[in-house]
Amino acid sequence: TGHQLRRMVAAAAQQQQPMSAVADQFGCSPSAFSRLFHQQVGMRAVFFRNQLRLLTAEDRLLAGLPISEVAADCGYADQAHLTREIKKFRGVTPGVYLSSYQELHLPSLA
């Protein structure tokens, strides 16, 4: 059941559906779905969805897309919302995150 729940939440995140829509698909209330997801997966469904959304946003930023476009495409209210999420979960601004990531993945010159 945990795998099925994760797939449902991942699909909802991709389609930018609210968690209530996922609960409806599963045939229960949002609070019941949240409890079930937590019991089966070990974290809240909203946290799981938000982490998937953040990973998608990071991939798009790393691909060179503008942060305002990424924020809109990934379901963030605006660029500032995405910036706050990256700072909250990565501890740095998007610019620092991107430059640090790129430094880690540069081919060795030695």
Side-chain angles (χ1 to χ4, degrees), residues 21-102:
V22 181
D24 288 344
Q25 291 172 6
F26 205 72
C28 61
S29 71
S31 58
F33 181 80
S34 182
R35 283 191 302 276
L36 178 63
F37 191 93
H38 190 268
Q39 290 169 348
Q40 294 292 318
V41 178
M43 69 181 76
R44 295 179 346 190
V46 171
F47 179 81
F48 181 76
R49 183 212 48 208
N50 290 347
Q51 291 303 303
L52 291 174
R53 183 169 66 168
L54 183 60
L55 290 171
T56 300
E58 289 170 345
D59 286 346
R60 291 180 180 186
L61 290 170
L62 290 167
L65 296 173
I67 190 168
S68 57
E69 181 181 323
V70 171
D73 290 348
C74 292
Y76 291 94
D78 53 26
Q79 178 178 335
H81 182 200
L82 174 55
T83 297
R84 284 191 305 274
E85 289 293 295
I86 291 174
K87 285 178 76 172
K88 177 179 177 181
F89 290 105
R90 303 300 181 245
V92 294
T93 64
V96 171
Y97 176 81
L98 292 174
S99 64
S100 296
Y101 184 89
Q102 290 164 347

